[in-house]
C-alpha cells in the first residue's frame, strides 16, 4: 500500500485531501497518512485532527509527499522534509522539477484546474500532469493519479510551463473579463444574470468547434461602426484599452499587433 502525505492547507491541498479520501473509501490502494499545515484548524473539517501536524519533527515517514503550497514557498518547504531519498512532488504549473530540494527524489503532480474553497469539484474529470526523474517513481505517481482522475498525462517541465501560460489566458484572464462585464452591468443597472447563458454557450461551443471557428462578434466581422460605438460608450480608460487590444488581436488572428 502506498503511503501518502500532503504538505499544505490551501485550495489545492484541500481538494486533494477530499479526492484522496474519496478514492480510499472506494478501495484505492493507498493511504493518506498525514497532512502538514501551519494552520491545523483550517483542515479540521476534512480529516481526523490526529492526522494533521504543524511540527516538522512529527512528520510521518511515507512513500510520497505532495507539496501543495504557493510557488514561492515550494523550495523552502521541500528543504524542511526531514528524510532523504523519498519521493517529493509539487503541484505547481509553472515551476520546474528542480524546485524541490535535492535531498529527495523529485516529481510533479499538477492538477490542471481552478480551485476555490467551498466549491465542490469532480476530481475524476481533472487532468493530472505527471513528471518524475525515473520510471519507477512515475509508476507510483500514476497509480495515485489514476485512482483520483480519469485524465492523466506525462508532461515535462517545458510542456507544463506552456500549459500553465495557456491556462492563465483561458481561465484567469477570461474570468477577469467576466469581472469587467459584471462591472459594466452594475454601472448601468443591468442584471449580470442575463449574460450567463451566453457565457455557458461560449464555453460549451469549443467542445465541438476550435476556438478559431467559434469566434464571433464585431471584431471578427470588422464591424467598425459597432466597435466605435462601444469605444465611445466606455468611459473607463482601462476597459477601453482592453477592448482595443482584444479587438486588434482578434482582427490580426492573434498575430503581432
Amino acid at each position: 500500500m502506498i503511503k501518502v502525505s500532503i504538505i499544505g492547507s490551501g485550495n489545492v491541498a484541500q481538494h486533494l485531501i477530499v479526492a484522496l479520501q474519496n478514492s480510499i473509501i472506494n478501495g484505492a490502494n493507498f493511504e493518506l497518512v498525514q497532512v502538514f499545515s501551519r494552520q491545523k484548524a483550517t483542515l479540521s473539517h476534512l480529516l481526523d485532527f490526529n492526522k494533521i501536524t504543524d511540527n516538522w519533527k512529527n512528520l510521518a515517514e511515507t512513500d510520497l509527499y505532495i507539496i501543495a503550497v504557493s510557488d514561492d514557498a515550494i523550495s523552502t518547504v521541500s528543504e524542511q522534509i526531514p528524510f532523504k531519498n523519498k519521493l517529493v512532488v509539487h503541484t505547481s504549473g509553472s515551476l520546474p522539477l528542480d524546485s524541490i530540494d535535492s535531498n529527495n527524489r523529485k516529481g510533479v503532480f499538477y492538477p490542471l484546474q481552478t480551485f476555490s474553497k467551498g466549491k465542490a469539484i469532480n476530481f475524476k474529470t481533472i487532468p493530472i500532469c505527471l513528471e518524475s526523474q525515473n520510471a519507477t517513481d512515475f509508476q507510483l505517481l500514476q497509480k495515485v493519479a489514476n485512482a483520483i482522475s480519469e485524465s492523466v498525462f506525462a508532461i515535462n517541465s517545458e510542456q507544463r510551463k506552456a500549459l500553465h501560460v495557456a491556462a492563465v489566458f483561458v481561465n484567469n484572464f477570461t474570468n477577469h473579463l467576466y469581472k469587467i462585464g459584471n462591472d459594466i452591468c452594475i454601472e448601468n443597472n443591468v442584471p449580470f444574470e442575463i449574460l450567463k447563458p451566453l457565457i455557458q454557450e461560449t464555453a460549451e461551443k469549443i467542445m465541438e468547434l476550435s476556438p478559431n471557428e467559434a469566434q464571433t462578434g464585431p471584431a471578427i466581422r470588422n464591424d467598425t461602426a459597432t466597435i466605435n460605438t462601444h469605444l465611445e460608450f466606455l468611459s473607463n480608460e482601462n476597459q477601453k484599452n482592453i477592448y482595443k487590444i482584444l479587438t486588434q488581436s482578434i482582427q490580426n488572428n492573434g498575430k503581432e499587433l
Side-chain angles (χ1 to χ4, degrees), residues 202 205-206 209-217:
T202 303
K205 191 187 294 185
I206 61 164
L209 304 175
S210 72
N212 191 54
E213 293 171 322
Q215 186 68 58
T216 61

Side-chain angles (χ1 to χ4, degrees), residues 1-18:
M1 178 173 288
I2 301 169
K3 294 183 178 180
V4 181
S5 291
I6 292 177
I7 300 173
S9 59
N11 290 345
V12 176
Q14 292 195 24
H15 282 278
L16 270 174
I17 290 168
V18 172

Side-chain angles (χ1 to χ4, degrees), residues 31-50:
E31 177 187 1
L32 179 57
V33 174
Q34 191 180 56
V35 177
F36 178 92
S37 172
R38 289 175 298 178
Q39 300 172 321
K40 295 174 67 173
T42 61
L43 301 176
S44 59
H45 65 295
L46 294 178
L47 72 169
D48 188 329
F49 206 69
N50 292 324

Side-chain angles (χ1 to χ4, degrees), residues 141-236:
L141 293 177
Q142 205 169 29
K143 287 179 183 177
V144 176
N146 283 332
I148 63 176
S149 173
E150 296 172 353
S151 185
V152 178
F153 299 88
I155 299 291
N156 65 36
S157 290
E158 281 303 304
Q159 291 173 319
R160 187 162 30 83
K161 189 184 295 183
L163 269 175
H164 195 253
V165 172
V168 168
F169 273 95
V170 303
N171 173 243
N172 305 132
F173 290 168
T174 301
N175 189 72
H176 183 64
L177 296 180
Y178 294 159
K179 194 265 183 187
I180 291 175
N182 189 48
D183 289 344
I184 292 170
C185 286
I186 291 172
E187 291 164 6
N188 292 276
N189 197 29
V190 176
F192 184 67
E193 298 290 325
I194 296 174
L195 291 174
K196 289 185 177 179
L198 175 63
I199 292 170
Q200 185 172 352
E201 173 61 19
T202 303
E204 290 178 353
K205 191 187 294 185
I206 61 164
M207 299 303 174
E208 299 180 18
L209 304 175
S210 72
N212 191 54
E213 293 171 322
Q215 186 68 58
T216 61
I220 198 69
R221 295 194 304 267
N222 289 310
D223 186 349
T224 305
T226 299
I227 291 168
N228 288 335
T229 298
H230 289 171
L231 289 172
E232 289 173 10
F233 173 81
L234 291 170
S235 58
N236 182 297

